[in-house]
Amino acid sequence: MIRARPFTGRPARWGLKGKLILSMLLVGVVPLFAGLLMAFLQGSREIREVSGESFKALATETARKLDLVVGEEIGRTSHIAIDPVIVAELEKRRDRIEALSEAQAQAALAAQASRWQARDPALIKEITDNTLAQLLRQYYTGSNGEPGQPPPQAVRSATKALFLTDKMGALVASLNSDIPYAHGGTAWWQGAFNKGIGSMYIEDVAFDDRVGSYVFTLSVPVMDSIRYEAIGVLHRIVDAKEFFSPSIAPIRFGRTGHVMLIDSRGVVMSCPILSTGARLADADLVSLVTPLEPGWVNAPSDGHGGRTPSIIGFAPLPETSRATNGSSDTAWHTFVWQSSSELFAPIRHLFTWLSVFGLIAVGLLIMLGSFAAGRIVTPIRQLQEAARAIGRGELRDRLTIRTGDELEELAEEINRMNAQLEAAFAGLTSQVELKSQEVQYLQQSTDQILDAMPTPIIMVDQAEQVQYLNRACKDAFKLEADDAPRPLMLFDLLRVNPSVQQQLRQELLRAGNGALQKTGAADTSPLPARDPLDPAPAHAVRGGRRELQLGRHLYRYEWFSLGGRPGEGRRIGLVLRDATEESRLQDQLIQAEKSGSLGMLTAGIGHELNNPLFGILGLGEAIQEETDLGRIKSYARDIVEHGRRMAAVIRDFAGQAFREAKDQRAPVDVNAQLDQAWAIVQSGFETLGIEMQTYYQPHLRVSALPDELRQAFVNVLVNAVQAMRGKGSLVLRTERDASAVTIMIRDTGPGIPPEHLTKVFDPFFTTKPQGEGSGLGLTIAKRIIVKFGGDIRLESAEGQGVTCWITFPTIAASHKEDQMP
């Protein structure tokens, strides 16, 4: 036994023990404080981003809710404006006004206004207690009979005035008497009357002296019985705070978090803290929180007078903003805010506590480092003395160090080296023992690797007896070593029905015979789409992947084969990968795609109605300026035709028309439909700078519905006209061969890039700027053409225009197809 002798040499100033303590401090303290700092910065960033996204979502949801509230009130007000009694009375007043000269009408208006200003009791009673006023009161309060469902109490209390004017702006009926009589010169009346065309008009929030509060107004035109022209305006004055507070005030989170409503000027419309009509304290903040898309921003102030940086979520009211943009240059936006001190308080408290714990950890690290360094240095000195003794040939007893680490192994190596030196060649280790140790080491390494795998692995023999389970498998099946039966069989673990057992046994047999089939277990591609409402099968093979349902978990699995030990048979391995979450996400994706189809249908309705609606508007404007009676009648016929087209579209999309039968189709003149489609496009778009060239082969007919075929042509021609932007050449050519009728439409626009050519028929795909196209024109055109047995394709060269080829089977060919079963 070698005893460590006292160290007589003079140690260096920084001995091994001091260096170890210092190294442990550096290794522990530097990462600790670096981690604390990074955790604080990352935590602050994560809180900022998560809070920002949460605020954005809350602002978007509140904006959607407010849109619905405003939309309901617009709908309720519009419903009053179409009451037959109101329309009939205003038509009578219009006829009486038109029977007078302009001077006589103005004189009568001035006389009535003077009586009203003088507070003539008879006139006041006539206005506030006539049939129309009583009708307004019934709609608004539900009293004296209910022509319609009255608005909620909060809306009734928020409404400060509701009155009706005729086509000159004169007061016809009112629930209030403290309002002016003549309104023809007001901005809201001119905007809603719109020169007889009629348009919804919403005024921004402003202070009303008569009401004594900040209000906004809703103005709805009253159209005549044929919906041709405006004959009056229904005007409603609403207290902004009382109207919006029930929807905004209850939304609070934390001590300071709340939602407010502002317009794009920064004027507060509703806020639990700021008063209605006030402006945001920071003018530079307005542009940051009033863009046209929802979002969040790390703002330099909080908008409530504070100058500390704040996280603010915002979102526009899209539907309401579109209405207000038609009336003024402003839009309405929601504004979500919470105090920064409250928002970041948790991460600051966490950082403080982590710092305290870090200092405690440093103290513990110094104590443990001193103890550990002592345990390391003492054995090293013993090893140093033993090495000197070996050099002198004086080591007779074994060196004993019990540290359980590399130092103990080093002591054993020194003992082994000493034994080898003493025994020379006789001390060589047996090769058989060495190989046994290597095999044992490899086996232990393999077990450690398999236990580290996150997927369950099972090893069985050909008798289905389990030979090995890795740690992930034991955890998955909640199987401990003491609980496992001996012997453990494969189907004691995989509890499946007999049919699945039979299938797995066949696969196990093929694997044992070496006839493995590649199953793609390593494939991480998404699961194939399936209906999430169908029950999941217990066993399935999809796309080359085998799947197995065990309880609530869906596994992908693969067999593999290994050679056995000498005298033993082959062993078969089974690898399982849990795909439950992946399957659930796939099901959710399918549900989301189904839900999205409703949005596509709604967009299709809007697109189908736009073209005839633009035609009606264009012809209506032309009638206003036309003096030729013949042309006016022609325009009126076109308007009726457009109206019939819109009614047919509505019936088709609403499902109120009978299912189309093949005998409803009729031979349609292709050339005539092209000419009518071009006339429709000319009525709605600027085409004076477009040169039209037609090359028609006469007597070309196809089996179709004329309205739908004309709509398909209109959609293609509209795309061509918009592409040329009012200047260029448009060529229409028709021809026929033995089996098909071909229509060519060629424009001289900029063309379509090759990468976009394959996508032009996809729903909602468009290269036009926002607001100029919905991406459904060519989609609907293709649907109609294919419906009648035709085909459509586009050819394009950039800078040279686009050529559209449309083919239909001839009348004889199409009839032949219709007769086929």
Side-chain angles (χ1 to χ4, degrees):
M1 182 72 182
I2 298 297
R3 297 184 181 274
R5 293 180 294 181
F7 184 70
T8 56
R10 186 174 182 179
R13 185 173 183 180
W14 282 96
L16 180 60
K17 184 174 181 179
K19 290 180 180 179
L20 287 174
I21 295 174
L22 180 60
S23 299
M24 293 178 70
L25 283 175
L26 292 176
V27 170
V29 173
V30 172
L32 175 63
F33 284 102
L36 286 176
L37 180 59
M38 293 178 64
F40 177 75
L41 296 177
Q42 181 68 16
S44 299
R45 188 178 70 85
E46 291 292 338
I47 288 180
R48 185 179 300 108
E49 292 182 357
V50 171
S51 299
E53 290 297 329
S54 299
F55 290 176
K56 171 186 173 182
L58 180 57
T60 303
E61 179 62 22
T62 305
R64 185 190 66 81
K65 179 180 178 182
L66 293 178
D67 250 346
L68 292 175
V69 172
V70 175
E72 288 178 358
E73 293 313 307
I74 292 176
R76 188 176 287 112
T77 306
S78 300
H79 182 67
I80 300 175
I82 62 174
D83 187 279
V85 176
I86 295 176
V87 173
E89 180 64 26
L90 290 183
E91 284 182 333
K92 294 178 183 178
R93 293 181 67 91
R94 175 199 62 187
D95 296 340
R96 290 196 298 269
I97 292 173
E98 291 178 351
L100 302 175
S101 65
E102 182 177 356
Q104 290 173 335
Q106 291 295 336
L109 176 63
Q112 290 292 88
S114 298
R115 290 181 59 196
W116 182 265
Q117 187 174 2
R119 311 306 294 167
D120 185 339
L123 181 59
I124 292 176
K125 179 175 179 58
E126 177 185 348
I127 296 297
T128 59
D129 200 25
N130 60 20
T131 302
L132 296 185
Q134 294 176 2
L135 185 61
L136 292 180
R137 192 172 291 107
Q138 292 174 18
Y139 270 109
Y140 184 63
T141 64
S143 61
N144 301 325
E146 295 187 1
Q149 183 67 27
Q153 178 61 37
V155 175
R156 295 201 299 269
S157 64
T159 300
K160 301 304 180 182
L162 179 65
F163 57 88
L164 185 68
T165 67
D166 61 14
K167 67 174 294 181
M168 293 188 67
L171 196 61
V172 176
S174 174
L175 301 184
N176 312 77
S177 61
D178 56 344
I179 57 175
Y181 182 83
H183 301 273
T186 61
W188 62 262
W189 191 91
Q190 293 179 357
F193 192 73
N194 197 15
K195 299 180 180 179
I197 298 175
S199 175
M200 166 64 67
Y201 193 93
I202 301 179
E203 277 190 311
D204 290 324
V205 171
F207 188 78
D208 191 320
D209 293 330
R210 293 187 302 274
V211 176
S213 63
Y214 283 88
V215 300
F216 70 95
T217 66
L218 299 176
S219 303
V220 179
V222 180
M223 307 301 291
D224 61 11
S225 57
I226 63 172
R227 309 294 293 171
Y228 176 72
E229 67 173 353
I231 56 176
V233 175
L234 180 65
H235 187 64
R236 184 173 176 182
I237 301 176
V238 184
D239 188 300
K241 183 174 182 180
E242 291 188 26
F243 183 81
F244 290 113
S245 287
S247 299
I248 292 179
I251 305 177
R252 301 296 295 267
F253 48 94
R255 292 182 293 101
T256 60
H258 65 278
V259 179
M260 58 190 292
L261 179 65
I262 63 173
D263 62 19
S264 54
R265 303 170 301 173
V267 176
V268 176
M269 302 175 66
S270 181
C271 177
I273 297 177
L274 299 177
S275 59
T276 301
R279 289 183 177 269
L280 295 184
D282 186 357
D284 297 333
L285 181 62
V286 177
S287 60
L288 296 178
V289 298
T290 56
L292 298 179
E293 296 294 334
W296 64 275
V297 65
N298 192 16
S301 64
D302 58 19
H304 294 69
R307 304 302 299 179
T308 57
S310 301
I311 297 174
I312 298 173
F314 52 83
L317 277 65
E319 299 299 329
T320 306
S321 296
R322 275 194 285 271
T324 57
N325 283 336
S327 309
S328 62
D329 295 331
T330 59
W332 296 358
H333 303 262
T334 54
F335 180 116
V336 178
W337 170 82
Q338 186 179 25
S339 170
S340 296
S341 59
E342 181 182 1
L343 186 64
F344 290 99
I347 190 64
R348 290 169 180 163
H349 293 165
L350 177 62
F351 182 74
T352 301
W353 280 106
L354 288 178
S355 300
V356 173
F357 293 149
L359 293 176
I360 296 174
V362 169
L364 293 175
L365 193 61
I366 294 174
M367 296 172 59
L368 294 176
S370 178
F371 174 76
R375 293 291 303 272
I376 294 173
V377 171
T378 300
I380 288 177
R381 289 177 177 173
Q382 293 179 1
L383 292 172
Q384 184 182 25
E385 290 297 328
R388 290 174 181 172
I390 291 174
R392 295 192 300 267
E394 298 176 354
L395 185 59
R396 295 293 179 263
D397 298 328
R398 289 179 57 82
L399 181 62
T400 303
I401 296 178
R402 303 298 184 188
T403 59
D405 53 21
E406 288 82 355
L407 291 176
E408 184 176 346
E409 293 179 2
L410 180 57
E412 291 296 329
E413 291 296 330
I414 290 177
N415 290 330
R416 187 179 298 112
M417 180 182 64
N418 183 59
Q420 290 174 351
L421 291 174
E422 289 181 349
F425 299 104
L428 294 176
T429 306
S430 171
Q431 293 296 324
V432 176
E433 182 181 358
L434 180 60
K435 287 186 177 294
S436 176
Q437 292 176 351
E438 290 177 355
V439 170
Q440 184 179 5
Y441 169 74
L442 291 175
Q443 184 176 1
Q444 292 176 351
S445 299
T446 302
D447 290 344
Q448 291 175 355
I449 292 172
L450 292 178
D451 281 340
M453 294 292 290
T455 57
I457 299 175
I458 306 172
M459 301 294 297
V460 297
D461 58 18
Q462 293 184 340
E464 300 179 5
Q465 183 174 339
V466 176
Q467 302 292 323
Y468 172 79
L469 299 172
N470 71 341
R471 172 52 57 186
C473 184
K474 295 176 182 177
D475 293 340
F477 293 102
K478 296 181 174 56
L479 187 65
E480 299 297 333
D482 297 337
D483 298 335
R486 290 292 184 266
L488 178 63
M489 306 304 292
L490 175 62
F491 293 108
D492 291 338
L493 284 177
L494 307 181
R495 300 184 183 275
V496 293
N497 58 53
S499 62
V500 178
Q501 285 188 20
Q502 183 64 27
Q503 177 66 27
L504 293 177
R505 283 195 175 96
Q506 294 176 1
E507 295 174 359
L508 175 63
L509 181 60
R510 289 197 298 269
N513 294 332
L516 285 173
Q517 179 181 2
K518 184 174 181 61
T519 61
D523 187 7
T524 58
S525 60
L527 288 171
R530 67 176 182 86
D531 192 340
L533 298 179
D534 288 342
H539 178 275
V541 178
R542 301 180 184 175
R545 296 185 292 267
R546 293 193 177 101
E547 297 175 0
L548 187 64
Q549 186 75 37
L550 297 176
R552 297 183 179 179
H553 293 270
L554 178 67
Y555 291 94
R556 290 182 182 177
Y557 69 92
E558 181 181 5
W559 299 98
F560 63 92
S561 179
L562 293 177
R565 295 175 180 175
E568 297 180 359
R570 300 180 65 87
R571 292 199 298 173
I572 298 93
L574 177 62
V575 180
L576 302 172
R577 184 171 74 83
D578 193 339
T580 307
E581 183 65 16
E582 184 179 350
S583 177
R584 185 184 66 80
L585 293 176
Q586 183 72 26
D587 292 344
Q588 290 179 353
L589 177 61
I590 294 172
Q591 289 292 356
E593 291 176 352
K594 290 181 178 179
S595 300
S597 62
L598 180 60
M600 182 181 296
L601 174 62
T602 304
I605 295 173
H607 187 278
E608 284 289 309
L609 294 178
N610 270 342
N611 287 330
L613 180 59
F614 288 155
I616 290 174
L617 293 177
L619 292 171
E621 293 177 354
I623 288 177
Q624 291 179 343
E625 300 176 358
E626 185 60 57
T627 58
D628 188 345
L629 182 60
R631 290 189 177 181
I632 291 176
K633 291 182 177 180
S634 176
Y635 291 160
R637 285 194 297 272
D638 291 342
I639 289 176
V640 172
E641 183 64 25
H642 285 310
R644 290 174 178 171
R645 172 59 186 156
M646 294 174 70
V649 170
I650 292 173
R651 290 196 305 272
D652 186 27
F653 277 101
Q656 296 175 356
F658 291 107
R659 182 175 60 89
E660 281 189 346
K662 293 183 178 179
D663 57 359
Q664 289 179 322
R665 303 182 186 180
V668 179
D669 189 334
V670 173
N671 298 336
Q673 295 303 320
L674 280 171
D675 290 339
Q676 292 180 24
W678 176 243
I680 292 172
V681 174
Q682 284 181 306
S683 67
F685 296 89
E686 180 61 41
T687 59
L688 294 179
I690 296 178
E691 178 185 358
M692 167 62 74
Q693 303 177 28
T694 58
Y695 304 94
Y696 292 161
Q697 182 176 339
H699 310 301
L700 295 185
R701 296 180 179 273
V702 297
S703 178
L705 298 177
D707 289 343
E708 295 192 13
L709 182 62
R710 182 167 60 254
Q711 182 62 36
F713 290 158
V714 167
N715 289 356
V716 176
L717 290 172
V718 166
N719 271 359
V721 170
Q722 289 180 339
M724 292 187 289
R725 298 190 177 277
K727 294 183 180 180
S729 176
L730 185 65
V731 178
L732 305 182
R733 182 187 301 274
T734 61
E735 56 187 22
R736 172 182 176 176
D737 57 20
S739 61
V741 173
T742 303
I743 302 100
M744 183 200 75
I745 302 174
R746 176 182 297 161
D747 64 63
T748 57
I752 301 174
E755 63 271 16
H756 294 162
L757 197 58
T758 60
K759 304 177 182 178
V760 293
F761 295 112
D762 293 346
F764 306 112
F765 177 82
T766 180
T767 58
K768 299 172 186 175
Q770 184 176 4
E772 293 188 11
S774 65
L776 284 171
L778 291 179
T779 303
I780 295 173
K782 182 174 182 179
R783 177 181 65 81
I784 295 173
I785 292 168
V786 172
K787 173 182 176 181
F788 299 134
D791 184 49
I792 180 172
R793 60 186 176 87
L794 299 182
E795 296 177 356
S796 174
E798 287 195 78
Q800 300 180 14
V802 176
T803 302
C804 176
W805 298 94
I806 303 173
T807 59
F808 289 101
T810 59
I811 293 290
S814 62
H815 286 343
K816 183 176 181 181
E817 291 176 359
D818 291 342
Q819 294 171 1
M820 294 178 63

